[in-house]
Amino acid sequence: MQERKVRVSAGPVTLEGSLGIPNSAGGVVLFAHGSGSGRHSPRNRYVARVLREANLATLLIDLLTEDEEEVDLHTTRLRFDIGLLARRLVGATDWLVQNPDTEQLRIGYFGASTGAGAALVAAAERPDEVGAIVSRGGRPDLAGDALPLVKAPTLLIVGGNDEPVIGMNEEALARMRAVNRLQIVPGASHLFEEPGALEEVARLATVWFARHLGPHTEE
C-alpha cells in the first residue's frame, strides 16, 4: 500500500509526514513517537503497516522541525517538552479534521515513550476528535493533570521486563477516568525487541482501534 509524503501545518511550523489511507478506511491513527525518534522509526512503521492492513489509515509525522532536531540532538531537551509535543499533535489533529481525505475518519493516537504523554495531553485538548489511544512502552505519567480530562478509551501496553515503566503506567491509570486498560506483554523489554513482542503490540493496537474507532462504537 502506497504512502505519500505530506506537509502538516501545526501552529507556526510545518511538519513532515507520511500518510497512508487504505480503501474503506475505518479510522486514522496519528503516531506520536518517543524520545529521539521520528516518522522513520522501524517499530512505529511496522505497527503502522499492520494497522493499514486492517483498514486503518495512518499518519506518521516528525514532531520536531529539522532545526529543532539538530538542537535536540545536542541537548535532548525538546524530546521531553511534553507541552510542545502536545501542541504539535493538536495541530496535526486539526489538519486531519480539515484534510478532505481524512475529515470523515475518527482519529486515534498511537504514542510511544514520551510521545504517549504528549498524546494524552493532546487528547484532553481535543476530546471530541480523538476516539482512542494506544501507548507502547509509554510515559503517560508525563501527562500530569491532563490525565483525568482524557475521554478517549486508552490502552497502555508495557513490556513485562520494563518494571519502572510498569509502575509509571499503573500510577497514570489510577488518575484516569476514561475507559482504560493496562496490558503487559510477558518477557518484553522497553523496546519490544524480543521475538513476537512487537507483533503482539501491533495485534493489541489493531483490536483496540478497530473497536473504538469503528462507525458503531458506543461511548
Side-chain angles (χ1 to χ4, degrees):
M1 185 180 303
Q2 291 295 318
E3 290 179 275
R4 60 184 174 91
K5 293 182 179 179
V6 293
R7 292 173 63 82
V8 179
S9 297
V13 300
T14 299
L15 306 173
E16 303 292 331
S18 299
L19 178 66
I21 306 178
N23 294 329
S24 304
V28 57
V29 178
L30 171 56
F31 280 69
H33 59 73
S35 306
S37 184
R39 74 182 190 277
H40 299 298
S41 159
R43 283 176 288 275
N44 281 349
R45 292 196 58 78
Y46 169 76
V47 173
R49 187 172 74 248
V50 173
L51 291 177
R52 290 195 298 273
E53 290 171 354
N55 285 330
L56 290 162
T58 59
L59 175 61
L60 294 95
I61 59 173
D62 290 330
L63 293 178
L64 301 177
T65 65
E66 288 187 6
D67 289 344
E68 290 169 340
E69 289 278 8
E70 187 67 27
V71 170
D72 189 62
L73 189 64
H74 296 94
T75 67
T76 70
R77 177 177 57 84
L78 295 176
R79 68 186 67 177
F80 290 100
D81 189 337
I82 301 301
L84 172 67
L85 300 180
R87 288 193 296 275
R88 300 287 168 82
L89 286 172
V90 167
T93 300
D94 294 343
W95 183 88
L96 285 170
V97 171
Q98 297 163 9
N99 187 297
D101 294 330
T102 54
E103 62 182 357
Q104 300 299 322
L105 300 178
R106 298 193 70 197
I107 299 171
Y109 287 161
F110 183 92
S113 189
T114 55
L120 287 160
V121 173
E125 290 283 329
R126 291 291 185 272
D128 295 331
E129 279 78 32
V130 181
I133 302 168
V134 174
S135 162
R136 170 182 64 81
R139 290 290 309 276
D141 55 299
L142 295 177
D145 291 340
L147 287 168
L149 305 177
V150 175
K151 293 184 178 180
T154 301
L155 174 65
L156 306 178
I157 307 172
V158 186
N161 295 343
D162 198 8
E163 293 183 5
V165 175
I166 291 176
M168 296 169 186
N169 276 254
E170 289 174 336
E171 291 173 8
L173 213 62
R175 299 190 62 190
M176 296 187 68
R177 298 170 182 167
V179 172
N180 57 61
R181 180 185 303 168
L182 174 62
Q183 186 77 46
I184 296 176
V185 179
S189 59
H190 183 63
L191 295 179
F192 296 89
E193 296 175 303
E194 295 74 19
L198 194 59
E199 288 82 354
E200 179 64 2
V201 169
R203 185 190 71 81
L204 291 167
T206 299
V207 171
W208 192 261
F209 285 129
R211 177 183 304 159
H212 295 290
L213 295 183
H216 304 297
T217 299
E218 293 184 4
E219 296 297 343

